[in-house]
Amino acid sequence: MPERPPVSPRAPSSSRAELIADTAITLLAERGMRGLTHRAVDEAAGLPQGSTSNHARTRLALLEATVRRQAEREAQTLMPTEMPDPEGGAEALADTLARALHRALTEHRHLTVSRYELALEATRRPELRAFYDQQGAQFRTMVESLLTAAGSPAPRRHTLSLVAWSEGLMFACAAGSYHAEVPSLDELRAGFRELLGGMLGCGERG
């Protein structure tokens, strides 16, 4: 299991806005939603008191900044050069998705946990729900494009199935009954092969 990330994970060139959002993500993973306050971010990030409030005046603004940064960092889980070759079909797609999921459950586990905290909060805050869904739509669009390139006869429907399967496995292994049994990269690759084999091998359209 990888070591817990520092409270304020960032590159030396990161802006203060990124530092605040990165720290908020880590606080969510470590302390939950109740542990995320403007004062807590200032303290954990080593910033002067009031710095987070100056950047994000309200709690909603802080949550929106956190969701935005969460989406940015999840998108960086894979490098552009690691995206699947459209000519590689199901095999290349399975390998790419397995690699991304394995990283989410190991070296980026705190991102996975903080995502669930934000998702639950969005169910209670309609104003955050729309913002959260907007960020999530970018991932779904990417998956649908990959499935289309791989030859899916029903990319929109298959995207729902693929995302639901992936998120269900992530929850089970990050916070559910399999939290101590993270699948290996090979096991995840086999699972995606089986799932994609059924999707891309079917003849149904629609």
Side-chain angles (χ1 to χ4, degrees):
M1 187 69 63
E3 295 182 359
R4 189 179 68 179
V7 173
S8 55
R10 62 168 182 151
S13 60
S14 295
S15 67
R16 176 167 290 193
E18 288 177 341
L19 171 59
I20 288 171
D22 284 338
T23 303
I25 287 171
T26 302
L27 287 174
L28 283 175
E30 293 184 344
R31 307 179 189 178
M33 192 59 64
R34 290 185 178 181
L36 178 61
T37 66
H38 288 74
R39 180 185 294 274
V41 173
D42 286 341
E43 292 176 352
L47 293 171
Q49 185 174 343
S51 297
T52 301
S53 293
N54 288 336
H55 170 68
R57 291 289 182 181
T58 65
R59 183 168 180 79
L60 177 60
L62 178 59
L63 289 170
E64 288 181 347
T66 306
V67 169
R68 186 182 300 109
R69 183 61 173 159
Q70 175 92 20
E72 290 174 354
R73 290 180 60 183
E74 288 182 348
Q76 296 167 0
T77 299
L78 288 176
M79 299 294 291
T81 55
E82 294 178 298
M83 296 305 290
D85 182 350
E87 301 297 323
E91 185 68 22
L93 183 54
D95 183 69
T96 298
L97 292 173
R99 193 179 302 119
L101 187 53
H102 188 258
R103 289 175 184 172
L105 292 172
T106 54
E107 57 192 281
H108 300 302
R109 193 182 185 96
H110 64 293
L111 281 178
T112 301
V113 175
S114 64
R115 182 207 290 190
Y116 295 133
E117 291 286 346
L118 291 167
L120 288 172
E121 186 68 8
T123 67
R124 308 180 188 103
R125 285 177 171 262
E127 64 275 26
L128 181 62
R129 178 84 269 169
F131 189 81
Y132 182 93
D133 289 348
Q134 179 185 5
Q135 298 297 318
Q138 299 177 25
F139 174 73
R140 295 197 305 273
T141 299
M142 181 193 71
V143 172
E144 187 171 337
S145 296
L146 292 173
L147 284 169
T148 299
S152 168
R156 179 171 296 183
R157 177 164 53 81
H158 287 165
T159 295
L160 171 60
S161 297
L162 189 61
V163 169
W165 186 86
S166 300
E167 291 191 344
L169 192 147
M170 287 174 66
F171 181 84
C173 296
S177 58
Y178 284 85
H179 67 92
E181 303 176 43
V182 176
S184 68
L185 179 58
D186 286 341
E187 289 171 330
L188 291 173
R189 191 181 289 115
F192 277 114
R193 282 193 191 117
E194 292 165 353
L195 188 62
L196 290 168
M199 290 178 176
L200 304 181
C202 64
E204 178 186 355
R205 306 222 170 230

